[in-house]
Amino acid sequence: MQITKKIKINSNDYYIIVDVEYKKQEKDLPQLCLKNYKEDYWDGGDCSILIEEVEKNYTQEKLEQYNKGIGFMTDVLYIYNRIPFISGIKCIYISSKDNVLYIEDYISKQEIDKYIKDFNVKMNDNSHFKLMDARTWRL
């Protein structure tokens, strides 16, 4: 299952895609968890708080560590560096002229990781990230 949540960076609306799945917990009760992430805790409220903090802490200076000149990728790297459990990011452009979908961009986690490797992008260490613990968030 996928959950999509909106995040506004600069003047662009992005949508993070999160893969989740139901897992058996104590007494065989189902619990919605992050899929394919080492810390599988999922809570939509915690994710919304994280998104608000990422939006609030956005600055041009923070973007300088990423590639300059490619706005979409710079924003993607900024988001991914702070929300490492996503499975993809998309951006939807709506035409202001007739209010219809103009362009939809999507990049997967695998493509982001490949870009980081291919272009030697320095990312912050986020290996201790836990959604349930705001002290581990790198904002």
Side-chain angles (χ1 to χ4, degrees), residues 8-25:
K8 190 170 194 77
I9 300 297
N10 206 1
S11 61
N12 296 315
D13 291 333
Y14 293 96
Y15 298 86
I16 60 168
I17 313 300
V18 180
D19 287 335
V20 293
E21 64 184 345
Y22 285 99
K23 291 183 179 178
K24 286 184 180 182
Q25 299 301 322

Side-chain angles (χ1 to χ4, degrees), residues 27-125:
K27 300 181 184 177
D28 287 338
L29 294 174
Q31 181 176 1
L32 194 57
C33 299
L34 289 170
K35 185 176 181 179
N36 303 321
Y37 193 73
K38 62 186 180 290
E39 280 291 330
D40 68 353
Y41 168 83
W42 169 255
D43 182 277
D46 286 345
C47 185
S48 293
I49 293 168
L50 173 59
I51 288 170
E52 288 174 16
E53 291 299 315
V54 170
E55 290 173 335
K56 184 171 64 174
N57 286 285
Y58 170 88
T59 65
Q60 284 298 124
E61 293 79 33
K62 289 183 181 177
L63 295 181
E64 290 178 8
Q65 80 179 80
Y66 310 113
N67 293 345
K68 298 175 183 138
I70 305 174
F72 175 75
M73 279 310 296
T74 302
D75 288 348
V76 163
L77 293 169
Y78 173 81
I79 294 167
Y80 182 55
N81 210 71
R82 288 151 180 82
I83 310 175
F85 56 83
I86 60 172
S87 59
I89 299 174
K90 71 175 154 178
C91 185
I92 298 174
Y93 301 94
I94 305 294
S95 170
S96 58
K97 183 178 175 181
D98 49 12
N99 202 30
V100 296
L101 178 65
Y102 183 66
I103 297 173
E104 181 176 334
D105 297 326
Y106 173 80
I107 187 164
S108 70
K109 174 183 177 53
Q110 293 77 17
E111 291 172 302
I112 299 168
D113 287 337
K114 183 179 182 323
Y115 183 91
I116 291 167
K117 182 180 176 190
D118 289 351
F119 294 98
N120 245 356
V121 179
K122 184 180 182 309
M123 302 292 277
N124 297 329
D125 177 24

Side-chain angles (χ1 to χ4, degrees), residues 127-138:
S127 59
H128 301 293
F129 177 89
K130 293 179 182 176
L131 180 58
M132 71 170 74
D133 186 354
R135 295 171 301 172
T136 67
W137 300 353
R138 303 279 185 234

